[in-house]
Amino acid sequence: MTNMKPAALILQAHGTNRDFDVAEALTLTGAEPVFAPLNELRAGKKNFSDYQMLVVPGGFSYADALGAGKLLALDLNSYFADQINLFVQAGKPVVGICNGFQALVKSGILPGNGESSSAVTLTFNGQGHFECRWVDLAPLSQTCLWTKALAENITCPIAHGEGNFQAVSHSLLNVLSQNDQIALAYIRPDGSPASGEYPANPNGSLLDIAGICNPAGNVLGLMPHPENHIHAWQHPRHTRGEQGNSGLALFKNGVNYAKSL
Amino acid sequence: MPVYRFLVKFNQPDPRSASYAADAKALGFQDITALACQDIYFIEGQLSQHECEQLALKLLSDPVTQVAFWKIIPSDTDATAPASIFVEVSLRPGVTDPVAQEIVRAAHVLGFDGVQRAATGQRFLIDGLALSRVEKLARQLLANPVIQHWTIGEIAPSFPEEVQASGEVEIIQLRTLTSEQLLDVSKDRRAALDLAEMQAIQSYYRKIDRDPTDVEFETIAQTWSEHCVHKTFKARVEVESNGQTSVVDSIIKTYLKAATDKINAPWVVSAFVDNAGIIEFDDEFEISFKVETHNHPSAIEPFGGANTGVGGVIRDVLGVSAKPIAATDILCFGPQEMNPDSLPEGVLHPRRIQSGVIAGVQDYGNKIGIPTVNGAILYDEGYTANPLVFCGCVGIAPKGKHHKNPQAGDRVVVLGGRTGRDGLRGATFSSMTMDAQTGEVSGASVQIGDPITEKGLIDVITRARDAGLYSDITDCGAGGLSSAVGEMASNIGAEIELHHVRLKYPGLAPWEIWLSEAQERMVLAVPPAHLPALQALCDTYNTELTDIGRFTGDGKLVVRYDGKTVLELENEFLHEGIPQRQLKAVISHSVPSISLSPIADDQLPGRLLQLLSSPNIASKAATIRIYDHEIQGGTVVKPLTGVNADAPSDAAVLKPIGTKGRKGIVLSNGINPGYGKQDAYKMAWAVVDEAIRNAVAVGADPTRIAILDNFCWGDPKRPETMGTLVEATRGCHDAALYYRTPYISGKDSLNNEYLGADGQRHAIPPTLLISAIGIIDDVSKAITMDLKQPGNMVYLVGSEQLPAILGQSVPGLPETAPKVYRALHQAITRGLVRSCHDLCEGGLAVAAAEMCIGGRLGMEISAAGSPAACFAETNGCLLAEIDPAAEADFLTLFRGLPLAKIGVVTAEPVLKISGEQIPVADLVKAFTGQN
């Protein structure tokens, strides 16, 4: 089992558009990406249980109508609630990136503390518009199998208009910190905390939160795009000798964990 | 059927309201004290109290940040009645409203089957303005009558009327009409056909001894429109120059296609014939490039105009069976600070046009998932009434997979969006001078795009291509089905049943269905045996497939509605019957010169900072950052570069996902309306050079660059205007041969003139955009323009002394330019160049300043030059940063070529030029507006 390539289900919703990007990251880190259009899953042509990993990629599912990720979340809850629940309970690695994160949050799969599906949200960026820029991230959670024991900070782009993490109550934020569910935080290039300051914190998220995980640590959701920093020449300063491919490590973590299952 | 009205408001300050408030203040509504924007949803259907709660909570609001209220209407009680004056805005019936469609779909997913229809709108609560000012604000900012209506107070929901499909066909009595009457028909139907063309139609129908149906007449008007056949570029032109008269038989044949033919580059796969130009990439793939304009629609509805402009050019690339991998956008606007009261009647404020256009580009490109990687924004008073919106798209496809040979028996299949009244007569509309009424009369010509539906088309078509499921493909653009099907059937013939076309709403007359320019539609020729496989793909990717007829093989185009023939035309007449236009051109030889005011030495810093902060040069980061330029993971050289990613790149470099090796694509552009006003011929040379120079600066191989031409001009019926067009195309021809750089595609947008209520013509400056697509053999060798290392030498490449040319008129081109670019490319390929930046607007001083900003390093320019010379504009020149260790090899490559060592990179962040010292921090502040 350990030597076999884990099969990663890449969910394609109506408007998913970073599916190929994440597929390449998974291929490079030793997984077998399989694209699964939502309609094929609904028709039973593909089943979640046949896969070792689940990826909900970035994009504009349903054009962000009524709020980013909202209508994809409705699909997840209406058609696949049981299958996804089983997948999560089995401890298999699940990651939602950007629009995928928004869908996991709005469906209540994250943070997954048994709260109602409206305990946290990703709302409009504080600066008022979509933004594409490279950011620096500190992998914090040691509970999250995706960020656990990552040696280096991650440099990668964001590209979103609704990535501003907000919660109904501070008590809930405390719960997230106490449970080590804050997986990734925005930091300054020098590694110090962004402390809510733009552009290091590009969207106004509380506690500089860029990504969170469920209490068990196998489900990660994040706004930034590590799948867009997996080649040396993608780095914005590669002509100045800076490199890193620092997005790869996170996927390696997920794939290696899936192999160990 | 009851209608429920839901109102959703933020329970905390929201950015959208803030930006509306900021825009209002910018438009002169300083006295506004508060502006809040809220969402309105109208839902028609039988709903229980519980269902309303669930809809509000689960669908229409974000419970963490918003609160929702609802009531049944009409109702006298209003829990939500606010103290402030409020304006409500909603879309006109028939305008694409994807959110409304999703509400109905989602409600049914939730099991609320009582929901019938939905509509959306906004409420704006306004404090601090008198009622009359609120009405003015609504007209100037909150609503656009072209697609929306608005009221003070509560607005009533508007759903498309349920009317029965008419099927009505009108016979136009043409054969008996006089010349004046013929022109009246052309005018009444906004056909934009001249007398010779109307007479050609008349004599055709006299010959076949009947009168045309409205379907036939509209089809001919579209097929013969400037937009579709480019009759000006194909016209016979009598050119008068210095009292001499000569004749040019089609400027496109004589100058543009001729250049490509003479150069005859082996790596050009397809030029001018298909929806997009195609060149070789590597052994496996070919790449395609097309640039379109969407100027007139953007002038009257900026968001929708630009939005559908992007969608349209993406379909051009799909039309050559390619996967879209990059977008470009070059935008021209009027001055942003213009006094709103000085605008001609019916003209939107340049600030509103700019924000709408940029939002439209962002919305389509980001949502469909194509990186916007290259572009430009220019400002000139000439663009106030006629903004220019150039949208480009690059595609990639496996070699030999694109077919264009429909067979008799193949089905005519429409994929994608449904058909409505959208964009009726868009092709002829874009071929006419606008007037104050254009907004109202041509309202139907403007549409809102639906990028997610078009994403479905990409998913289906790229897979159908690989499976070989179709024998021909083209996009539905101007002219809708009439031009798409007409084009595909032009040799083989086809018969169509309009009754099968899926409609957004009933009630369309046959000619409206046939001519509609509804977005997100492609037409394919599909062998019957492949239909099931294609249908399966469409089901998987939520794309509608409609079989509307068959290709016949009898060379005739026959269109029926419910079995009744409404159009029967011989292809030969439809496509060859248009008489060649006869035009006159006068070439003026009075070359106005730029008066360069002499600059005293001590004025240099002030002048430089002023240039860096001037609208045309200042950073465009605010726009670039709202476009996703990273998606698809291929962006090697990004639009913004340097230590803090705030310096402007010369060009974009892409490494397409899925390609092997290290090969990449280079994208750049050249445009200079300032030169266009002075000397169209020299302007063409200058912008061709600028596009190539920018591509070479990042590492493109100068022998593997192809270019596209986009002409935006005034009314060609005026001989002076036609004269500048002839000169520009002649310049394009000569410059292309000079560099051996072929054109692979082009487009023209004419009549960019506005007849103001004052009776005056407002024309744009003659504007030529050259877009370049090049190849770089190894993306890891790409160069950026930011200074890298103190102690490195700075060379002026392409000229021996500083300045190369003092700007007395439009600069010419150094004879050595092609050799210089080849030498520079060798140097880059050998890794001898650390940074490189081209000299354009603002000359050497601005180029040096931008390199300092990029590297946050200083530069000491030793070579003496007068302050004026530091700003002199040149062609064919760049700055290159060279490591002293590489200097010898670099000089060897440039033996016998113009080159000058002018300075050195310094650790001290100060630009020292012509005896002046300017801190880089000041340069950054001037350029970015930030510390």
Short mmCIF file of all heavy atoms in Angstrom, two decimals, chain B residues 248-265 271-272 709 729-730 732-734 736-737 740-744:
data_model
loop_
_atom_site.label_atom_id
_atom_site.label_comp_id
_atom_site.label_asym_id
_atom_site.label_seq_id
_atom_site.Cartn_x
_atom_site.Cartn_y
_atom_site.Cartn_z
N VAL B 248 -5.00 52.50 -54.57
CA VAL B 248 -4.67 51.32 -53.79
C VAL B 248 -5.89 50.40 -53.78
O VAL B 248 -6.96 50.79 -53.34
CB VAL B 248 -4.29 51.70 -52.35
CG1 VAL B 248 -4.00 50.44 -51.54
CG2 VAL B 248 -3.09 52.63 -52.33
N ASP B 249 -5.73 49.21 -54.32
CA ASP B 249 -6.84 48.26 -54.36
C ASP B 249 -6.78 47.38 -53.12
O ASP B 249 -6.10 46.38 -53.10
CB ASP B 249 -6.74 47.41 -55.64
CG ASP B 249 -7.93 46.45 -55.76
OD1 ASP B 249 -8.85 46.53 -54.90
OD2 ASP B 249 -7.93 45.63 -56.68
N SER B 250 -7.47 47.80 -52.07
CA SER B 250 -7.54 47.12 -50.78
C SER B 250 -6.26 47.26 -49.97
O SER B 250 -5.23 46.66 -50.27
CB SER B 250 -7.85 45.62 -50.97
OG SER B 250 -7.56 44.93 -49.77
N ILE B 251 -6.32 48.07 -48.91
CA ILE B 251 -5.13 48.29 -48.08
C ILE B 251 -4.76 47.03 -47.31
O ILE B 251 -3.58 46.80 -47.03
CB ILE B 251 -5.33 49.48 -47.10
CG1 ILE B 251 -6.59 49.31 -46.26
CG2 ILE B 251 -5.34 50.79 -47.85
CD1 ILE B 251 -6.80 50.43 -45.25
N ILE B 252 -5.74 46.16 -47.03
CA ILE B 252 -5.38 44.94 -46.28
C ILE B 252 -4.59 43.99 -47.20
O ILE B 252 -3.58 43.43 -46.81
CB ILE B 252 -6.62 44.26 -45.66
CG1 ILE B 252 -6.20 43.08 -44.79
CG2 ILE B 252 -7.60 43.79 -46.73
CD1 ILE B 252 -7.29 42.50 -43.93
N LYS B 253 -5.05 43.88 -48.47
CA LYS B 253 -4.33 43.00 -49.41
C LYS B 253 -2.96 43.59 -49.73
O LYS B 253 -1.94 42.93 -49.67
CB LYS B 253 -5.14 42.85 -50.72
CG LYS B 253 -5.59 41.43 -50.99
CD LYS B 253 -6.11 41.22 -52.42
CE LYS B 253 -6.67 42.45 -53.05
NZ LYS B 253 -7.54 42.36 -54.18
N THR B 254 -2.96 44.90 -50.02
CA THR B 254 -1.75 45.55 -50.53
C THR B 254 -0.67 45.68 -49.46
O THR B 254 0.51 45.56 -49.76
CB THR B 254 -2.11 46.96 -51.05
OG1 THR B 254 -3.22 46.84 -51.94
CG2 THR B 254 -0.93 47.59 -51.77
N TYR B 255 -1.07 45.92 -48.22
CA TYR B 255 -0.07 46.24 -47.20
C TYR B 255 0.08 45.15 -46.12
O TYR B 255 1.19 44.77 -45.77
CB TYR B 255 -0.41 47.58 -46.54
CG TYR B 255 -0.27 48.75 -47.50
CD1 TYR B 255 -1.28 49.70 -47.61
CD2 TYR B 255 0.87 48.89 -48.30
CE1 TYR B 255 -1.15 50.77 -48.48
CE2 TYR B 255 1.00 49.96 -49.18
CZ TYR B 255 -0.01 50.90 -49.26
OH TYR B 255 0.11 51.94 -50.13
N LEU B 256 -1.06 44.65 -45.57
CA LEU B 256 -0.95 43.76 -44.40
C LEU B 256 -0.71 42.32 -44.83
O LEU B 256 0.31 41.72 -44.52
CB LEU B 256 -2.20 43.90 -43.53
CG LEU B 256 -2.42 45.34 -43.03
CD1 LEU B 256 -3.77 45.48 -42.37
CD2 LEU B 256 -1.31 45.75 -42.08
N LYS B 257 -1.67 41.76 -45.63
CA LYS B 257 -1.48 40.37 -46.08
C LYS B 257 -0.22 40.27 -46.93
O LYS B 257 0.53 39.29 -46.86
CB LYS B 257 -2.70 39.90 -46.87
CG LYS B 257 -3.90 39.60 -45.98
CD LYS B 257 -5.10 39.10 -46.79
CE LYS B 257 -6.24 38.74 -45.84
NZ LYS B 257 -7.56 38.80 -46.49
N ALA B 258 0.04 41.31 -47.73
CA ALA B 258 1.22 41.29 -48.61
C ALA B 258 2.50 41.12 -47.79
O ALA B 258 3.38 40.33 -48.13
CB ALA B 258 1.29 42.57 -49.42
N ALA B 259 2.58 41.84 -46.66
CA ALA B 259 3.78 41.73 -45.83
C ALA B 259 3.97 40.29 -45.36
O ALA B 259 5.06 39.72 -45.46
CB ALA B 259 3.67 42.68 -44.64
N THR B 260 2.89 39.69 -44.88
CA THR B 260 2.97 38.31 -44.39
C THR B 260 3.39 37.36 -45.51
O THR B 260 4.25 36.50 -45.32
CB THR B 260 1.60 37.89 -43.82
OG1 THR B 260 1.26 38.76 -42.75
CG2 THR B 260 1.64 36.45 -43.29
N ASP B 261 2.82 37.56 -46.70
CA ASP B 261 3.17 36.69 -47.83
C ASP B 261 4.63 36.85 -48.21
O ASP B 261 5.34 35.86 -48.42
CB ASP B 261 2.27 37.01 -49.04
CG ASP B 261 0.81 36.67 -48.76
OD1 ASP B 261 0.56 35.91 -47.81
OD2 ASP B 261 -0.08 37.20 -49.47
N LYS B 262 5.11 38.09 -48.28
CA LYS B 262 6.51 38.31 -48.68
C LYS B 262 7.47 37.70 -47.66
O LYS B 262 8.48 37.11 -48.02
CB LYS B 262 6.79 39.81 -48.82
CG LYS B 262 6.09 40.47 -50.01
CD LYS B 262 6.32 41.98 -50.01
CE LYS B 262 5.34 42.69 -50.93
NZ LYS B 262 5.33 44.16 -50.72
N ILE B 263 7.15 37.84 -46.38
CA ILE B 263 8.03 37.29 -45.33
C ILE B 263 7.98 35.77 -45.36
O ILE B 263 8.99 35.09 -45.20
CB ILE B 263 7.62 37.84 -43.95
CG1 ILE B 263 7.88 39.35 -43.88
CG2 ILE B 263 8.36 37.12 -42.83
CD1 ILE B 263 7.12 40.06 -42.79
N ASN B 264 6.77 35.22 -45.57
CA ASN B 264 6.62 33.78 -45.78
C ASN B 264 7.34 32.95 -44.73
O ASN B 264 8.12 32.06 -45.05
CB ASN B 264 7.12 33.43 -47.20
CG ASN B 264 6.73 32.02 -47.58
OD1 ASN B 264 5.78 31.47 -47.01
ND2 ASN B 264 7.47 31.43 -48.49
N ALA B 265 7.09 33.26 -43.45
CA ALA B 265 7.76 32.55 -42.36
C ALA B 265 7.23 31.12 -42.26
O ALA B 265 6.01 30.92 -42.25
CB ALA B 265 7.52 33.28 -41.04
N ALA B 271 -2.67 32.50 -41.06
CA ALA B 271 -2.72 33.95 -40.93
C ALA B 271 -3.95 34.50 -41.63
O ALA B 271 -4.22 34.15 -42.77
CB ALA B 271 -1.46 34.59 -41.51
N PHE B 272 -4.72 35.32 -40.92
CA PHE B 272 -5.86 36.09 -41.47
C PHE B 272 -7.09 35.25 -41.85
O PHE B 272 -8.18 35.79 -41.92
CB PHE B 272 -5.44 36.90 -42.71
CG PHE B 272 -4.51 38.04 -42.38
CD1 PHE B 272 -3.17 37.98 -42.72
CD2 PHE B 272 -4.99 39.16 -41.72
CE1 PHE B 272 -2.32 39.03 -42.41
CE2 PHE B 272 -4.14 40.21 -41.41
CZ PHE B 272 -2.81 40.14 -41.76
N ASP B 709 -2.46 43.33 -35.85
CA ASP B 709 -2.78 44.75 -35.97
C ASP B 709 -4.22 45.00 -35.58
O ASP B 709 -5.11 44.24 -35.92
CB ASP B 709 -2.56 45.21 -37.42
CG ASP B 709 -3.44 44.44 -38.39
OD1 ASP B 709 -4.64 44.79 -38.52
OD2 ASP B 709 -2.94 43.47 -39.02
N THR B 729 -1.29 51.84 -42.60
CA THR B 729 -1.15 50.46 -43.09
C THR B 729 0.12 50.34 -43.93
O THR B 729 0.81 49.32 -43.86
CB THR B 729 -2.38 50.06 -43.95
OG1 THR B 729 -2.65 51.09 -44.89
CG2 THR B 729 -3.61 49.84 -43.09
N ARG B 730 0.46 51.39 -44.67
CA ARG B 730 1.71 51.35 -45.44
C ARG B 730 2.90 51.25 -44.48
O ARG B 730 3.83 50.46 -44.69
CB ARG B 730 1.83 52.62 -46.30
CG ARG B 730 2.96 52.61 -47.30
CD ARG B 730 2.83 53.77 -48.30
NE ARG B 730 3.02 55.08 -47.66
CZ ARG B 730 4.23 55.65 -47.47
NH1 ARG B 730 5.32 55.02 -47.86
NH2 ARG B 730 4.32 56.82 -46.88
N CYS B 732 2.82 49.92 -41.52
CA CYS B 732 2.78 48.54 -40.99
C CYS B 732 3.51 47.59 -41.94
O CYS B 732 4.29 46.74 -41.52
CB CYS B 732 1.33 48.08 -40.83
SG CYS B 732 0.51 48.77 -39.40
N HIS B 733 3.24 47.76 -43.22
CA HIS B 733 3.87 46.90 -44.24
C HIS B 733 5.39 47.05 -44.22
O HIS B 733 6.13 46.07 -44.07
CB HIS B 733 3.31 47.29 -45.62
CG HIS B 733 4.02 46.65 -46.77
ND1 HIS B 733 5.11 47.24 -47.38
CD2 HIS B 733 3.82 45.47 -47.42
CE1 HIS B 733 5.55 46.45 -48.36
NE2 HIS B 733 4.77 45.37 -48.39
N ASP B 734 5.86 48.30 -44.28
CA ASP B 734 7.29 48.54 -44.37
C ASP B 734 8.01 48.08 -43.10
O ASP B 734 9.08 47.46 -43.16
CB ASP B 734 7.56 50.02 -44.65
CG ASP B 734 6.97 50.45 -46.00
OD1 ASP B 734 6.47 49.57 -46.73
OD2 ASP B 734 6.97 51.66 -46.29
N ALA B 736 7.06 45.79 -40.92
CA ALA B 736 7.03 44.32 -40.78
C ALA B 736 8.13 43.70 -41.63
O ALA B 736 8.86 42.80 -41.18
CB ALA B 736 5.67 43.77 -41.19
N LEU B 737 8.30 44.20 -42.86
CA LEU B 737 9.35 43.65 -43.74
C LEU B 737 10.73 43.94 -43.16
O LEU B 737 11.63 43.10 -43.20
CB LEU B 737 9.23 44.25 -45.14
CG LEU B 737 8.09 43.73 -45.99
CD1 LEU B 737 8.08 44.42 -47.34
CD2 LEU B 737 8.18 42.22 -46.16
N ARG B 740 11.20 41.47 -40.65
CA ARG B 740 10.78 40.12 -41.06
C ARG B 740 9.81 39.53 -40.03
O ARG B 740 9.93 38.37 -39.62
CB ARG B 740 11.99 39.18 -41.24
CG ARG B 740 13.13 39.76 -42.07
CD ARG B 740 12.74 40.08 -43.49
NE ARG B 740 12.31 38.90 -44.26
CZ ARG B 740 11.79 38.98 -45.48
NH1 ARG B 740 11.59 40.17 -46.04
NH2 ARG B 740 11.45 37.88 -46.13
N THR B 741 8.88 40.36 -39.60
CA THR B 741 7.90 39.96 -38.58
C THR B 741 6.50 39.94 -39.19
O THR B 741 5.95 41.00 -39.49
CB THR B 741 7.94 40.95 -37.40
OG1 THR B 741 9.26 40.95 -36.86
CG2 THR B 741 6.96 40.55 -36.32
N PRO B 742 5.91 38.76 -39.41
CA PRO B 742 4.64 38.66 -40.12
C PRO B 742 3.42 39.00 -39.26
O PRO B 742 3.43 38.80 -38.05
CB PRO B 742 4.59 37.18 -40.51
CG PRO B 742 5.37 36.49 -39.43
CD PRO B 742 6.47 37.44 -39.04
N TYR B 743 2.37 39.52 -39.92
CA TYR B 743 1.06 39.66 -39.27
C TYR B 743 0.33 38.34 -39.39
O TYR B 743 0.36 37.70 -40.44
CB TYR B 743 0.25 40.76 -39.96
CG TYR B 743 0.87 42.12 -39.86
CD1 TYR B 743 1.70 42.59 -40.86
CD2 TYR B 743 0.66 42.93 -38.75
CE1 TYR B 743 2.31 43.84 -40.76
CE2 TYR B 743 1.26 44.17 -38.65
CZ TYR B 743 2.08 44.62 -39.65
OH TYR B 743 2.69 45.85 -39.54
N ILE B 744 -0.31 37.90 -38.30
CA ILE B 744 -1.08 36.65 -38.38
C ILE B 744 -2.57 36.90 -38.20
O ILE B 744 -3.39 36.03 -38.46
CB ILE B 744 -0.60 35.62 -37.35
CG1 ILE B 744 -0.63 36.19 -35.94
CG2 ILE B 744 0.81 35.13 -37.72
CD1 ILE B 744 -0.40 35.14 -34.85
#
